[in-house]
Amino acid sequence: MSRRRRNQLTLVCWIYPGPRNYRPKYVNVLYRRVKQFVPMRHRFVCIYDDTYYKAGHFDPGIELMPIPESARPLLALGSLAGKMHPACFARLWHFSEEAAELLP
């Protein structure tokens, strides 16, 4: 990985199906606001469920990354806060060595 990319801010969001039914349009709005209000150079990455969402529904400046296979089993775990809240355990993948390589 180039030195230039390592020194760049990486902003990451996740979208996967759940009880609240978030859609790509919400990611697009978040991306546009970040682009508007974060003046420094950055990359905006959306980790998404490629079995449920289509890449064409996201703005072109968003880097799409399918949910890593190592994080998928964690999606099946229920939320400790009840059924109306999505399970957040898959996002623990951010602390893995794999994530450190892909999202420096």
Side-chain angles (χ1 to χ4, degrees):
M1 180 162 299
S2 73
R3 178 177 170 82
R4 184 175 167 187
R5 193 153 185 181
R6 282 205 178 272
N7 292 332
Q8 182 177 357
L9 177 66
T10 301
L11 302 165
V12 181
C13 72
W14 287 65
I15 185 170
Y16 46 88
R20 295 195 181 193
N21 196 24
Y22 289 114
R23 295 183 294 282
K25 71 178 185 178
Y26 299 116
V27 174
N28 293 338
V29 168
L30 176 63
Y31 167 70
R32 290 179 202 137
R33 291 302 151 274
V34 166
K35 191 174 169 183
Q36 182 180 3
F37 292 108
V38 177
M40 65 182 60
R41 242 187 92 198
H42 63 276
R43 54 190 281 235
F44 187 93
V45 179
C46 178
I47 300 176
Y48 76 115
D49 187 344
D50 61 339
T51 62
Y52 189 79
Y53 301 106
K54 304 293 179 230
H57 294 129
F58 295 91
D59 281 0
I62 299 171
E63 289 183 45
L64 295 174
M65 183 169 124
I67 295 174
E69 288 303 318
S70 55
R72 284 193 184 273
L74 298 171
L75 286 174
L77 298 175
S79 171
L80 300 175
K83 291 187 180 202
M84 278 308 295
H85 300 279
C88 299
F89 297 112
R91 292 181 290 194
L92 290 172
W93 173 84
H94 281 286
F95 298 101
S96 70
E97 289 181 19
E98 181 183 13
E101 284 297 315
L102 295 172
L103 305 168

